[in-house]
Amino acid sequence: MNIFDETLTSLHEGLVSKKFTSVELTEEAFKRIAEIDPKVSAFLALNKEEALNQAAAADERGYETGSILNGIPIGIKDNIVTKGLTTTAASKMLEDFNPIYDATVVEKLEAAGAINVGKLNMDEFAMGGSTENSYFKTTKNPWDTTKVPGGSSGGSAAAVASGQVLATLGTDTGGSIRQPAAFTGLTGMKPTYGRVSRYGLIAFASSLDQIGPFTRNVMDNALMLEAISGYDPKDSTSANVEVPKFSANLTGNISGMKIALPKEYFQEGVSDEIKTAVEKAAAQFKEMGATVEEVSLPTLSYGIPAYYIIASSEASSNLQRFDGIRYGYRAENIVTLEDLYVKSRSEGFGMEVKRRIMLGTFSLSAGFYDAYFKKAGQIRTLIKEDFARIFADYDLILGPTTTTTAYNLGEKSDNPLEMYMADLLTVTINLAGVPAISLPGGFSSEGLPIGIQLIGDYFEEEKIYQAAYAFEQKNDYSTKHPNL
Amino acid sequence: MAISEEEVRHVANLAKLKFEDNEIHHFTEQMSDIIDMVEQLEKINTTGVAVTTHGYSLKNVMREDIAEPGTDREELFKNVKTAEDGMIEVPAILENEGEDA
């Protein structure tokens, strides 16, 4: 089997028609991981024994047409807790942390019969855009292993792009699904805030974090999202709204759809090749019967400062729980309790995590709160209003996902500010809470993938998938893959 | 310099973090650059604008006050480094009276 020719649906059909079993699929996935992963370093931990047991159980249950994920191997980002399977968030702080429960998304995937083959590398506590901030290893871009895979969900992206599994879960706080999807030529969805339960997601910035899928195509992405979505009483910020069957109505018909193209997305700093790819996509959407009109999103440039204040403030509060006492890293040779807190945290967290905690603590501290945290919260309102104004007249917003294609490993790792500025095109979406997808939109002259972004109004993932599917049908970008 | 080394030490103290003397200079420079960047927001007029703290507008979520089984005590201790008689062991907190407690 050539995994790059398969989809979740084709694997499902193979299982139903007894062409192969889930045990065979899962063994093959581990074989691919053994061959390919040494080149890209996507996985932090494998779940081999348990996965093969689950696969055997799926084979035992048998396959019914329609329950598509049943028996199919997938991977999970390592900030999503898995009962009995070490979950580190790529931090020394949680190097030996063994969760006693499953995240709701893990329970849902298990209920759907999906087989979790292992945990995927990331920037420590999801803070970063290159996966170089992992305490354990540096993941590489399968298209060019001298380049970053993006981040923070770099392992989730590299595992799919290199053909180890067809689908993984990532998380997106400021672009951490969409940017690695763009850098590795995948489809990655950041759902509406509240669409997917965050119960069991190790919190970074609670008002921004969302879990979402990475896949090689739109249909697979829709199938994954419908499996993990829905209200969860264990997450009071999950939304009690109906979950449409995203995969059911993908027709490719977008006639009459109104698409907005913000002129700010074409500003200086966005590479010409990426601008051209977006313009080409806009022309294709027009040909397919959609209206594409230029609009203005003037708050775009406020996104990065507001995001870094809000996300870091929430992180500084969320990460207070790592105190060396109930779980996680504990420093040795401690005399006082204060010592225990300070040494455990200073030795257990990496530099980028410390930077964010410091910026957040500063923004929330006496004398600075109004000028930083409160101000950023007001800017967030302006950003939301900007999106609301566009969505009053348009179905979707089209733009680039990233300002450049994947950059060199090490290029920005000691320049945090430059790393932050690269999030220009993704962070405002998290601040507003609306859904957005990145999908393959072409290749640079260097042969690196380019991502285009489609943004929808709250809970309108269906429209996003419809337009993404139509675009995918017109192009062959999703069929391309790296040769490792 | 938007923030001084002294301020960085103060914030580190609030955050229960400690930086080595040889790290603090470089770290202060990086923090200053980041703070200069976020200070761009000062220029934007936000008079009368409400503060948004959530990604999606939700009202308070209530449920019936019905007891449900909690988590098993032994399981909760699974990731504790040292425990004694069902309690988590920590360093003495009264040795430096008034200073740390």
Side-chain angles (χ1 to χ4, degrees):
Chain A
M1 168 194 301
N2 181 352
I3 192 72
F4 291 115
D5 294 335
E6 303 294 332
T7 64
L8 292 177
T9 306
S10 74
L11 292 186
H12 170 65
E13 284 163 359
L15 287 166
V16 171
S17 65
K18 297 190 161 52
K19 214 165 117 193
F20 40 72
T21 65
S22 174
V23 168
E24 285 167 349
L25 275 184
T26 307
E27 278 171 348
E28 270 196 52
F30 283 113
K31 210 174 117 199
R32 286 194 302 271
I33 292 169
E35 280 168 16
I36 300 165
D37 207 47
K39 296 176 196 163
V40 295
S41 302
F43 280 93
L44 286 175
L46 297 181
N47 186 34
K48 199 162 182 180
E49 200 185 320
E50 179 63 22
L52 286 167
N53 286 339
Q54 285 175 1
D59 288 335
E60 186 78 18
R61 286 193 304 270
Y63 297 97
E64 272 175 42
T65 304
S67 34
I68 293 199
L69 297 181
N70 196 10
I72 294 184
I74 52 109
I76 292 178
K77 187 177 179 181
D78 206 30
N79 56 350
I80 298 172
V81 301
T82 42
K83 188 176 181 175
L85 181 60
T86 305
T87 300
T88 68
S91 181
K92 180 181 178 185
M93 185 59 87
L94 292 173
E95 189 167 11
D96 58 3
F97 178 63
N98 199 321
I100 59 171
Y101 67 98
D102 276 322
T104 296
V105 290
V106 173
E107 272 182 359
K108 279 177 175 277
L109 284 177
E110 201 176 301
I115 313 294
N116 171 23
V117 298
K119 304 300 290 289
L120 293 152
N121 198 24
M122 53 186 281
D123 285 298
E124 183 180 359
F125 286 106
M127 297 173 188
S130 68
T131 314
E132 292 167 296
N133 294 334
S134 167
Y135 171 66
F136 301 103
K137 53 169 79 163
T138 299
T139 300
K140 295 165 190 81
N141 191 317
W143 292 87
D144 177 345
T145 53
T146 68
K147 307 278 182 192
V148 301
S152 67
S153 312
S156 302
V160 178
S162 62
Q164 302 184 55
V165 285
L166 284 184
T168 56
L169 291 187
T171 63
D172 191 317
T173 305
S176 284
I177 290 173
R178 289 160 289 151
Q179 181 255 30
F183 279 7
T184 60
L186 298 179
T187 300
M189 174 68 112
K190 198 283 297 179
T192 309
Y193 183 83
R195 176 65 93 185
V196 178
S197 168
R198 292 181 298 110
Y199 181 73
L201 164 61
I202 296 172
F204 161 12
S206 307
S207 81
L208 305 166
D209 297 341
Q210 268 293 289
I211 299 170
F214 283 92
T215 57
R216 299 194 62 242
N217 66 59
V218 175
M219 176 62 88
D220 285 359
N221 206 280
L223 287 164
M224 284 291 284
L225 185 62
E226 62 198 38
I228 61 170
S229 293
Y231 174 66
D232 178 10
K234 289 176 182 159
D235 172 8
S236 60
T237 65
S238 70
N240 204 346
V241 296
E242 200 192 329
V243 180
K245 209 162 172 350
F246 301 119
S247 62
N249 300 307
L250 296 179
T251 57
N253 180 5
I254 56 159
S255 178
M257 201 178 252
K258 290 188 74 182
I259 299 175
L261 193 61
K263 62 174 195 266
E264 288 78 6
Y265 286 172
F266 294 87
Q267 63 178 262
E268 203 186 323
V270 180
S271 92
D272 288 342
E273 285 183 313
I274 292 177
K275 287 178 189 165
T276 306
V278 175
E279 280 159 0
K280 204 175 146 197
Q284 287 187 342
F285 282 122
K286 271 189 204 164
E287 278 167 31
M288 292 186 275
T291 332
V292 182
E293 285 170 0
E294 189 181 280
V295 297
S296 177
L297 264 179
T299 55
L300 180 75
S301 60
Y302 316 160
I304 289 178
Y307 171 79
Y308 276 94
I309 292 171
I310 291 168
S312 302
S313 297
E314 292 185 21
S316 81
S317 167
N318 273 327
L319 271 61
Q320 279 178 34
R321 74 192 62 181
F322 299 102
D323 56 7
I325 294 184
R326 289 154 301 159
Y327 50 81
Y329 177 80
R330 181 185 284 191
E332 285 172 7
N333 304 318
I334 293 298
V335 185
T336 66
L337 189 63
E338 177 77 6
D339 237 14
L340 175 67
Y341 294 150
V342 173
K343 283 197 181 136
S344 299
R345 289 166 63 80
S346 300
E347 292 170 18
F349 290 137
M351 266 321 262
E352 182 58 26
V353 174
K354 289 180 193 170
R355 241 184 319 261
R356 308 271 183 121
I357 292 174
M358 290 286 289
L359 177 62
T361 305
F362 172 78
S363 305
L364 293 169
S365 64
F368 298 102
Y369 179 88
D370 279 357
Y372 294 87
F373 188 70
K374 187 181 163 204
K375 184 85 180 180
Q378 291 175 310
I379 301 290
R380 189 173 184 180
T381 304
L382 298 179
I383 290 170
K384 282 179 83 157
E385 287 171 357
D386 226 7
F387 278 111
R389 186 174 49 75
I390 305 286
F391 287 127
D393 293 326
Y394 295 90
D395 296 299
L396 295 173
I397 298 172
L398 167 68
T401 310
T402 57
T403 54
T404 64
T405 52
Y407 46 84
N408 292 329
L409 289 161
E411 192 176 322
K412 297 183 186 187
S413 45
D414 198 43
N415 193 339
L417 194 59
E418 204 179 307
M419 190 83 93
Y420 297 176
M421 298 314 280
D423 298 339
L424 175 75
L425 303 164
T426 49
V427 292
T428 52
I429 288 129
N430 300 73
L431 289 169
V434 293
I437 204 167
S438 179
L439 71 156
F443 293 88
S444 71
S445 53
E446 276 184 284
L448 291 169
I450 290 172
I452 62 165
Q453 189 169 215
L454 287 167
I455 309 158
D457 203 355
Y458 298 101
F459 301 106
E460 295 207 328
E461 287 89 350
E462 245 183 323
K463 276 187 191 169
I464 295 179
Y465 279 132
Q466 190 68 272
Y469 186 76
F471 182 77
E472 186 181 75
Q473 299 308 302
K474 282 268 172 198
N475 297 284
D476 64 354
Y477 309 131
S478 296
T479 65
K480 308 276 190 220
H481 59 84
N483 292 303
L484 276 161
Chain B
M1 190 73 71
I3 187 169
S4 67
E5 288 185 18
E6 197 190 328
E7 283 172 304
V8 167
R9 284 182 215 275
H10 168 67
V11 174
N13 189 41
L14 295 174
K16 301 254 182 275
L17 289 172
K18 188 174 165 39
F19 295 93
E20 299 304 327
D21 286 339
N22 60 6
E23 290 176 330
I24 203 106
H25 183 70
H26 185 54
F27 194 80
T28 303
E29 276 180 2
Q30 288 184 335
M31 282 287 290
S32 282
D33 287 348
I34 295 166
I35 289 165
D36 280 342
M37 181 273 286
V38 300
E39 278 177 348
Q40 292 171 44
L41 296 183
E42 275 174 16
K43 289 179 287 189
I44 302 153
N45 181 7
T46 52
T47 315
V49 176
V51 175
T52 296
T53 50
H54 290 91
Y56 167 68
S57 310
L58 284 170
K59 293 206 177 86
N60 260 352
V61 180
M62 313 291 256
R63 65 169 174 82
E64 292 301 312
D65 186 16
I66 300 166
E68 286 172 25
T71 311
D72 181 73
R73 191 181 174 84
E74 254 179 58
E75 270 204 297
L76 279 173
F77 272 72
K78 193 172 165 187
N79 287 285
V80 170
K81 293 283 184 286
T82 51
E84 204 178 301
D85 299 333
M87 286 178 282
I88 301 173
E89 204 176 38
V90 294
I93 56 168
L94 295 175
E95 271 168 341
N96 301 332
E97 263 184 39
E99 221 180 284
D100 300 297

